[in-house]
């Protein structure tokens, strides 16, 4: 996401990241990667971004442990 934003000269927002996480919720690895990009971009995750990431992990069989790690 950051590469796309940079190429378009756009500033990342929490809403953009959370929307992207919701969009890729079938791909838990990508959802986790986007969630970590939130911190890298100096934004602070909120309930919606946590929930979207946990939901993505929940959809993957046996990935509930990843969902728990999001809170750490």
């Amino acid at each position: 996401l950051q590469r796309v934003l940079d190429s378009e000269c756009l500033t990342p927002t929490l809403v953009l990241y959370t929307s992207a996480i919701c969009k890729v919720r079938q791909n838990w690895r990508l959802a986790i990667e986007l969630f970590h990009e939130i911190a890298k971009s100096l934004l602070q995750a909120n309930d919606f971004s946590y929930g979207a990431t946990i939901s993505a992990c929940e959809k993957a069989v046996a990935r509930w442990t990843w969902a728990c790690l999001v809170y750490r």
Side-chain angles (χ1 to χ4, degrees):
L1 181 62
Q2 187 62 51
R3 283 179 284 166
V4 172
L5 294 173
D6 288 344
S7 69
E8 298 294 325
C9 298
L10 298 172
T11 303
T13 66
L14 188 56
V15 172
L16 258 170
Y17 277 112
T18 304
S19 297
I21 292 168
C22 289
K23 182 69 175 167
V24 301
R25 67 178 174 252
Q26 299 302 324
N27 183 341
W28 66 272
R29 285 186 177 105
L30 185 53
I32 292 272
E33 185 178 319
L34 287 167
F35 184 81
H36 287 291
E37 279 189 32
I38 292 172
K40 289 179 191 173
S41 65
L42 304 178
L43 296 170
Q44 181 147 2
N46 63 13
D47 292 343
F48 296 107
S49 52
Y50 275 105
T53 306
I54 290 169
S55 178
C57 293
E58 177 183 59
K59 293 186 185 322
V61 176
R63 297 295 181 211
W64 61 270
T65 52
W66 283 95
C68 293
L69 291 174
V70 167
Y71 278 111
R72 290 189 175 178

